[in-house]
Amino acid sequence: MILTVTLNAAIDKRYVVEEFRIGEVNRMKECAYTPGGKGLNVSKPAAIAGAEVVATGFVGGHAGQYIEESLKDFRIKSAFYHLAAESRSCINIWDEKNKVQTEFLEPGFTVKEEEFRGFVEKFAQLVKEADVVAMSGSVPRGLDEKAYPILVETVKKAGKKVILDTSGKLLEEGIKACPTMIKPNIDEIRMLTNKPCHDIQEIIRAAKEIHERGIEVVVVSLGSDGSLCVCDDGVYRAVVPKINAVNTVGCGDSMIAGFALGFEAGQTPVEALRKASAISAAAAMREETGFFVKEDMEIIYPQITIEKIG
């Protein structure tokens, strides 16, 4: 079982408008509502791939009920900690004429200290049944950079693999607990190491430095140039074939799902890198975020090249 953690879950609302006009009434051409948050964008592709997925984190109110009900459509089991306050909504407005995307992200509820303690107790029980834990995204108000280290340490005490995908101070503090894997982008790896990372050799040196701090697997996305993986076996580069990319939002989350699937199956980081790259590329070919078609992934998979470069 793969356990995903979304501490700041939301209802993602996508509005399509012919031309977005500030200060005027805007009538939507299309509306779509999906359960959102980075952790849930990991849950969905993992479930599509056939894994048993359990999602946890915080939800509240009628909006939280909607999030949980919606997950059933994806065959994702819900094990959220419930609060009285309403879960947040995140609105994405797509302007068809100008090809511009505008987002409105609600801050969400505030989690009290005793509520977080209750969640940690629930989480510790869920971890016992999991093979891999993937925790992603921001944290709600009331929590700080200490939240993820507590959760990472809980997973490690249970002897399970844990992937942490977050940013800023949350990532900086989170890696001190030494999760199994992180997937920083180039800006984040610069922040973590204070290295300029102007070329691939500098990026490799920075990723190696983080690996030496006790992170088993460090994966760095290079966008259309593929990705790097630094692990005990060395440094590897994955290059994906040219694809018709439609929507790259959430592709990083799909890559996390691929690694979680690989780790659950007992694959090495290098073996998991191929699967993760294929799922991420397949996800980019579809409009829906956190979604891919297996046939796309199966076509891409054998075309991915993995090269040991260090």
Side-chain angles (χ1 to χ4, degrees):
M1 183 265 279
I2 295 172
L3 178 65
T4 64
V5 179
T6 312
L7 297 178
N8 216 2
I11 300 174
D12 283 349
K13 301 180 179 182
R14 185 173 188 266
Y15 297 155
V16 177
V17 63
E18 188 172 325
E19 183 178 6
F20 184 49
R21 294 183 175 89
I22 297 173
E24 297 184 27
V25 174
N26 290 270
R27 299 194 182 277
M28 303 297 121
K29 290 179 66 178
E30 298 174 29
C31 302
Y33 306 104
T34 56
K38 284 182 69 64
L40 294 182
N41 287 338
V42 173
S43 307
K44 288 180 276 188
I48 291 168
E52 178 187 354
V53 181
V54 175
T56 191
F58 294 100
V59 294
H62 295 291
Q65 291 176 16
Y66 176 85
I67 290 169
E68 292 190 294
E69 285 295 317
S70 298
L71 290 177
K72 293 178 182 178
D73 295 336
F74 299 93
R75 296 185 301 104
I76 297 168
K77 297 178 182 178
S78 176
F80 281 90
Y81 190 90
H82 295 93
L83 304 180
E86 290 289 327
S87 288
R88 65 186 183 137
S89 290
C90 294
I91 298 171
N92 179 305
I93 300 174
W94 174 247
D95 182 330
E96 286 190 326
K97 180 179 179 180
N98 299 302
K99 308 297 182 187
V100 173
Q101 182 172 275
T102 302
E103 291 187 303
F104 296 88
L105 308 180
E106 294 181 5
F109 42 53
T110 299
V111 176
K112 298 174 182 176
E113 187 176 337
E114 60 269 24
E115 291 170 331
F116 183 63
R117 284 199 301 267
F119 169 72
V120 173
E121 290 177 10
K122 180 184 182 76
F123 178 68
Q125 295 304 310
L126 292 169
V127 168
K128 292 178 181 179
E129 305 301 320
D131 296 297
V132 183
V133 181
M135 47 187 75
S136 311
S138 61
V139 300
R141 291 181 297 185
L143 301 186
D144 57 19
E145 62 273 11
K146 297 176 184 176
Y148 277 133
I150 291 170
L151 299 182
V152 169
E153 287 165 3
T154 300
V155 180
K156 290 179 67 178
K157 283 179 183 176
K160 308 298 175 69
K161 292 185 180 298
V162 53
I163 303 170
L164 175 63
D165 187 26
T166 186
S167 59
K169 194 70 175 176
L170 294 173
L171 177 60
E172 194 174 354
E173 291 299 312
I175 65 170
K176 292 178 181 178
C178 293
T180 309
M181 174 184 154
I182 63 170
K183 192 190 69 63
N185 59 31
I186 293 174
D187 286 338
E188 288 162 350
I189 209 164
R190 285 185 183 124
M191 174 201 73
L192 293 173
T193 63
N194 291 317
K195 295 187 185 301
C197 296
H198 291 315
D199 57 43
I200 194 164
Q201 292 305 318
E202 289 183 348
I203 295 169
I204 290 170
R205 284 194 289 272
K208 280 184 172 180
E209 178 184 313
I210 295 171
H211 173 63
E212 289 165 1
R213 295 181 195 175
I215 311 298
E216 290 181 35
V217 185
V218 181
V219 177
V220 185
S221 174
L222 303 175
S224 59
D225 292 327
S227 57
L228 293 173
C229 176
V230 178
C231 58
D232 289 343
D233 292 335
V235 182
Y236 294 82
R237 182 172 183 175
V239 179
V240 300
K242 187 175 178 58
I243 60 169
N244 180 25
V246 176
N247 176 19
T248 58
V249 176
C251 287
D253 302 321
S254 295
M255 178 167 271
I256 294 294
F259 273 102
L261 289 160
F263 292 159
E264 182 194 34
Q267 292 184 331
T268 66
V270 180
E271 291 169 334
L273 176 62
R274 185 182 296 275
K275 176 176 286 188
S277 299
I279 291 175
S280 178
M285 296 170 64
R286 300 291 164 170
E287 287 188 2
E288 305 95 323
T289 299
F291 176 80
F292 77 97
V293 174
K294 281 187 177 181
E295 288 77 8
D296 293 337
M297 187 270 286
E298 289 166 356
I299 291 170
I300 294 168
Y301 186 88
Q303 299 182 56
I304 292 170
T305 60
I306 306 290
E307 179 187 6
K308 186 171 185 179
I309 58 174

